[in-house]
């Protein structure tokens, strides 16, 4: 899959994940799922922080 295709239509699957039956998952599956979700949180926070710093730099540049 082309990486640009991934950015064209972001797949917000949290709604789907929240509806899944967790009872059917093993403890190992749950641990793996938790680790993946934590890694995604870190990645999202990093992207958010990058945008915040570029926004404040732009605001400084155009501040009168």
């Amino acid at each position: 899959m082309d990486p640009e295709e991934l950015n064209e239509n972001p797949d917000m699957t949290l709604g789907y994940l929240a509806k899944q039956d967790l009872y059917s998952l093993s403890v190992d599956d749950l641990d793996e799922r938790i680790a993946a979700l934590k890694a995604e949180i870190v990645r999202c926070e990093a992207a958010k922080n990058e945008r915040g710093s570029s926004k404040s730099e732009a605001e400084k540049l155009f501040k009168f």
Side-chain angles (χ1 to χ4, degrees):
M1 179 176 279
D2 183 15
E4 289 187 22
E5 287 180 19
L6 293 174
N7 291 327
E8 286 179 14
N9 298 312
D11 184 11
M12 302 297 203
T13 58
L14 293 177
Y16 172 75
L17 290 174
K19 293 176 185 176
Q20 282 185 320
D21 177 22
L22 300 179
Y23 189 75
S24 64
L25 299 176
S26 70
V27 172
D28 288 338
D29 289 341
L30 289 169
D31 286 339
E32 185 177 329
R33 181 184 178 116
I34 290 167
L37 290 169
K38 285 180 178 180
E40 183 61 11
I41 289 169
V42 168
R43 191 174 79 93
C44 289
E45 288 176 340
K48 179 182 159 187
N49 291 335
E50 288 174 12
R51 285 182 180 88
S53 64
S54 63
K55 179 182 177 185
S56 53
E57 291 299 319
E59 287 173 348
K60 287 179 193 175
L61 182 64
F62 293 105
K63 192 172 185 177
F64 293 100

